[in-house]
Structure formats: structure tokens, C-alpha cells
């Protein structure tokens, strides 16, 4: 079997309301993650490592920093015929933005028609994981399905955030029913507290996908959504395949992180996924260079730790420290420090995520907090220590008690 011609489409237009305030000024896929990454880098790294090098990224909502990131980091040599191209909302069908994710793809059918791929791989842009999509494409072709959905087991309590898959016990690579974000689904027969969740990653035969998109565009009752409309279309047609993520075997994975997949749709999930990175035995290993996670060009010099003049030893433990960070006489534990963060003497940062260029001044304390770019914590100020005080100051405090301070805020003592 010769390799099929594959076009990859990354859905990157989501608003990410539940990640506010981190998505106040940027699209969700552009939200920084893990010190030096942006969320979209995981999907793009997976595609490129799978050798899929014709990639269109569909953007719409506050896409400026996303476009800039793609142009700076992901531009490929057009001489080799490879590309990662951002495609903004086209308004080809009238003066509205994309109605839903299927409409976004419908509005770019000209790209599919021009490229003439055999297979279209469609992926979301807001999950943290490693996946070799070529293994899913091979399984899809072998199964004879027209459209396949990747799935993973998730706790039943999260069912209302996912498409829930029901596979046919007689042929486990077929989906016989699919419910988008059900309130009260049944658990799996062998595990009543779990459901099979759609990962929002799809593989489609290009001709069948085009037919489905046209039918969907003409359906007045449709919300033009991949999970809500296109998946059910193929399920009803009896040609919807299931790809179990557990089968995916990425080079260099360990038993601990082989099936790691996190939706970071809420602030608590975003925070927890960071804590997975810094666990002493990481639950997700960013250091697997057999399946590299590509990221923005880092223009900062190396990180520096200073034993300050007052005799304070600047140090960090169980933490990720990015280039350009200076820890001067400060104590950091269990935290992720993004490029350009500065910490001064007698300050402490624990169990926190600091985005680019945050400044922590002397004697300040930060605990269980997410600080967006350019936040300044003034001398002696405290964040994440007193929940009520944080709420009173207008900061977001999540259900599990993480304080989130938005971009450019100056926190006073
Ligand atoms: P959601 O993530 O809730 O569920 P959606 O909001 O459509 O679905 O987002 C899917 C992807 O499409 C995201 O990457 C988002 O950024 C992007 N997107 C959304 N609207 C878009 C638009 N108009 N234009 C371009 N891109 C857009 C989906 C599936 C579920 C599945 C979960 C897994 O619908 O079945 O379980 O993903 O997280």
C-alpha cells in the first residue's frame, strides 16, 4: 500500500471562555503552556512528527498572537512544498464568522479541492498529549471506515464536556452511537465510572468528508459542528470508525505517559496539567526527544541563579525554569517559570505557574497561583495566600482555589 496523500487541518478558532482571563487577549490555542510552549504546539508537533507537512490552521477569534506564533515558529520551506498556513475566517458564504467547527472546514473546501488529498486529518488545538497520527490513518484505512474518531477513557463525571462514543461490541472499530456532551450517559460495561470520550481528532476520506460538509451546510437544523453534526452523520450512515488511543505507540514514551492526554479547557485543568510536568516522576515527559515537542524560538539567554548580596541563596526545586529567568535570593518550589521571569530576594513562589516576564519583588509571596504575562508583584505583596482577599481584589479564584491574575496587572502589598 503506497502512503496516502494527507492534508491536515487544525481547528484553532475556539474562544476558550472557560480559560478566562488567560484568553482575554489571545485565542485558546495561543495560550502559553509549560514554560516555553503554546497549546497549539502539541497538535502541530504531533502532525509534523507524524510526517504530515501540509497543514492548514483555521483561526478566527483573537488570532493575532496565534498568527504571529505560527509565522515565527512553524513556517516551513515552501521550496520543499511543505507548509503550516494559518487561514483566517473567510466569510465566503456571507458576512459571518465560522458558525461552528464544521462550518470552518466547509468554508475552506477550496483548499481540500486544490490539494486533492486522499485523507484529511482534523485535529483540535487545545490538548496536551503525544500522538502518532499516521498510526491512526493506517488503522482507519484498514478498517474501511469513511470517517474515524479517536477516543480515550475518561471519568464519567466529565461526560458533559466530551463527545461520548458507544462502540459496537460485535465490531469494536465501529461507532454505533455518539452523543455530544450528554448530561447523564451510561458508563462502560466493564467500567461503570468511565466513558469513552472523543478526543476531537478525526481521520476522514476526503471525498466522503466533502459530501458530508455539503449535506451539513444545506441542513437548516445543523449547528455545523464537527462533534454535534458531522460525527453523527457518519454514525447514522454506518461508516464511522473508532480508533482507541491506547493503541497509539509513540517512540520514547514510557508506561507512565503513553496514554497521557489532557483537555486543558478550564483553569483548574490547565493548572493540573502543569503540575503533571513538574512531578518528580513526570506524568508527561517533555524531555522525550524521540518525539520532540517543538516550540517558539527562544531568544533569551540561559537562566541564572544568584546568591544575593544579603547572603540569600536563589534556588528552585521540583520546578521548570525557562531561559531568561533570574532567581536572585528567592525560593521557588513546585512551579513553572516561563522565559524572562525575575524573582528578587526573600520572595517565595510555590506551586504556581508564572507566564513570561513576570516580576516578583522582594519579600513577595506567591502560592497556588497562575500569573499571566508581565504581572508585577510589588514588594511584600501576597497572592494565593488569602483567597477572600484575592477575590476582593478582583482576581479570578478557581473552584479548587487557584488564584489567577491577568496580564499586565500590578499587585500591590
Ligand atoms: P469542544 O472542544 O467543546 O468539543 P469545539 O468548541 O468545537 O468543541 O472545539 C473543537 C476544536 O475546534 C478546538 O480546537 C477549537 O479551538 C476549535 N474550534 C471551535 N470552533 C471553531 C471555529 N468556528 N473555527 C475554527 N476552529 C474552531 C470537541 C468535540 C467533542 C470532543 C472534545 C474533546 O466536539 O466531541 O470530545 O472536542 O476535547
Amino acid at each position: 500500500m503506497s502512503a496516502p496523500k494527507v492534508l491536515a487541518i487544525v481547528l484553532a478558532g475556539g474562544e476558550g471562555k472557560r480559560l478566562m482571563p488567560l484568553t482575554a487577549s489571545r485565542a485558546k490555542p495561543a495560550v502559553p503552556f509549560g514554560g516555553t510552549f503554546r497549546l497549539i504546539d502539541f497538535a502541530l508537533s504531533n502532525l509534523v512528527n507524524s510526517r504530515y507537512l501540509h497543514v492548514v490552521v483555521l483561526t478566527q477569534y483573537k488570532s493575532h498572537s496565534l498568527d504571529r506564533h505560527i509565522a515565527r515558529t512553524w513556517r516551513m520551506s515552501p521550496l520543499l512544498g511543505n507548509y503550516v498556513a494559518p487561514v483566517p475566517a473567510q466569510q465566503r458564504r456571507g458576512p459571518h464568522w465560522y458558525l461552528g467547527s464544521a462550518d470552518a472546514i466547509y468554508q475552506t473546501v477550496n483548499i481540500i479541492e486544490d490539494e486533492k488529498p486522499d485523507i484529511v486529518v482534523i485535529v483540535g488545538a487545545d490538548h496536551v498529549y503525544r500522538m502518532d497520527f499516521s498510526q491512526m490513518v493506517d488503522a482507519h484505512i484498514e478498517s474501511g471506515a469513511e470517517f474515524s474518531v479517536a477516543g480515550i477513557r475518561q471519568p464519567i463525571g466529565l461526560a458533559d464536556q466530551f463527545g461520548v462514543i458507544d462502540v459496537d461490541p460485535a465490531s469494536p472499530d465501529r461507532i454505533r452511537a455518539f452523543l455530544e456532551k450528554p448530561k447523564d450517559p451510561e458508563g462502560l460495561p466493564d467500567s461503570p465510572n468511565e466513558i469513552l470520550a472523543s478526543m476531537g481528532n478525526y481521520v476522514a476520506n476526503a471525498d466522503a468528508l466533502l459530501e458530508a460538509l455539503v449535506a451539513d451546510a444545506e441542513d437548516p437544523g445543523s449547528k455545523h459542528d464537527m462533534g454535534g453534526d458531522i460525527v453523527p452523520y457518519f454514525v447514522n450512515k454506518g461508516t464511522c470508525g473508532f480508533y482507541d488511543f491506547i493503541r497509539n505507540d509513540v517512540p520514547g514514551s514510557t508506561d507512565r505517559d503513553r496514554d497521557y492526554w489532557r483537555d486543558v479547557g478550564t483553569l483548574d485543568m490547565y493548572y493540573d496539567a502543569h503540575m503533571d510536568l513538574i512531578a518528580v516522576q513526570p506524568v508527561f515527559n517533555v524531555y522525550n526527544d524521540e518525539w520532540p515537542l517543538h516550540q517558539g524560538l527562544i531568544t533569551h539567554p540561559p537562566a541564572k541563579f544568584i546568591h544575593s548580596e544579603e547572603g540569600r541563596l536563589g534556588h528552585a526545586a521540583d520546578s521548570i525554569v525557562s531561559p531568561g529567568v533570574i532567581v536572585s535570593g528567592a525560593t521557588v518550589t513546585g512551579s513553572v517559570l516561563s522565559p524572562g521571569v525575575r524573582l528578587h530576594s526573600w520572595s517565595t513562589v510555590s506551586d504556581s505557574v508564572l507566564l513570561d516576564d513576570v516580576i516578583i519583588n522582594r519579600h513577595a509571596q506567591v502560592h497556588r497561583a497562575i500569573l499571566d504575562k508581565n504581572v508585577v508583584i510589588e514588594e511584600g505583596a501576597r497572592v494565593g495566600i488569602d483567597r477572600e482577599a484575592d477575590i476582593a481584589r478582583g482576581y479570578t479564584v478557581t473552584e479548587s482555589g487557584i488564584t489567577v491574575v491577568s496580564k499586565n496587572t500590578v499587585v500591590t502589598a
Side-chain angles (χ1 to χ4, degrees), residues 334-408:
S335 297
V336 174
L337 307 184
S338 304
V341 167
R342 298 292 149 88
L343 295 99
H344 296 281
S345 286
W346 292 289
S347 66
T348 59
V349 171
S350 49
D351 305 337
S352 294
V353 178
L354 275 47
L355 303 193
D356 302 54
D357 303 320
V358 163
I359 298 174
I360 312 288
N361 284 303
R362 289 169 157 237
H363 299 286
Q365 275 175 276
V366 177
H367 180 59
R368 283 172 56 82
I370 300 171
L371 308 183
D372 201 344
K373 273 190 174 183
N374 294 320
V375 164
V376 177
I377 311 294
E378 290 203 329
E379 185 162 344
R382 288 146 54 104
V383 173
I385 316 280
D386 179 345
R387 201 168 177 266
E388 298 309 318
D390 287 348
I391 294 171
R393 288 187 288 183
Y395 305 145
T396 305
V397 176
T398 69
E399 229 169 81
S400 69
I402 308 299
T403 299
V404 188
V405 181
S406 49
K407 210 170 154 179
N408 301 327

Side-chain angles (χ1 to χ4, degrees), residues 10-16 18 28-29 58-60 97-105 123-127 149 161-164 178-181 197-202 225-228 231 261 263:
V10 180
L11 293 167
E15 204 172 326
R18 291 172 305 153
K28 182 172 166 190
L58 306 186
T59 66
Q60 64 172 354
W97 280 17
Y98 297 143
L99 299 173
S101 49
D103 183 47
I105 299 175
V123 303
D126 37 24
H127 298 107
V149 182
Q161 303 186 25
F162 295 123
V164 174
F178 184 91
L179 288 174
E180 182 71 356
K181 302 177 183 159
S198 160
M199 298 164 70
N201 292 338
Y202 315 106
D225 182 58
M226 288 303 292
V231 177
W261 177 81
D263 179 18

Side-chain angles (χ1 to χ4, degrees), residues 10 36-53 55 57 69 73-74 76 84 123-125 127-134 250 284 286 288 290-296:
V10 180
T36 51
F37 304 97
R38 301 230 182 201
L39 283 179
I40 195 172
D41 292 333
F42 296 91
L44 290 175
S45 295
N46 287 330
L47 287 168
V48 166
N49 292 341
S50 305
R51 315 308 308 160
Y52 294 149
L53 303 174
V55 183
V57 180
H69 175 66
T73 307
W74 288 96
M76 295 194 194
V84 175
V123 303
H127 298 107
V128 177
Y129 66 118
R130 280 197 181 79
M131 180 166 178
D132 181 349
F133 293 115
S134 73
V250 164
F284 183 66
V286 282
N288 171 5
E290 290 179 56
W291 194 265
L293 298 167
H294 307 283
Q295 66 207 339

Side-chain angles (χ1 to χ4, degrees), residues 141-170:
I141 293 171
E142 213 168 282
S143 76
E146 287 189 311
F147 184 95
S148 296
V149 182
I152 185 171
R153 286 174 181 237
Q154 291 289 294
I156 197 163
L158 298 178
D160 62 356
Q161 303 186 25
F162 295 123
V164 174
I165 295 168
D166 182 17
V167 294
D168 187 346

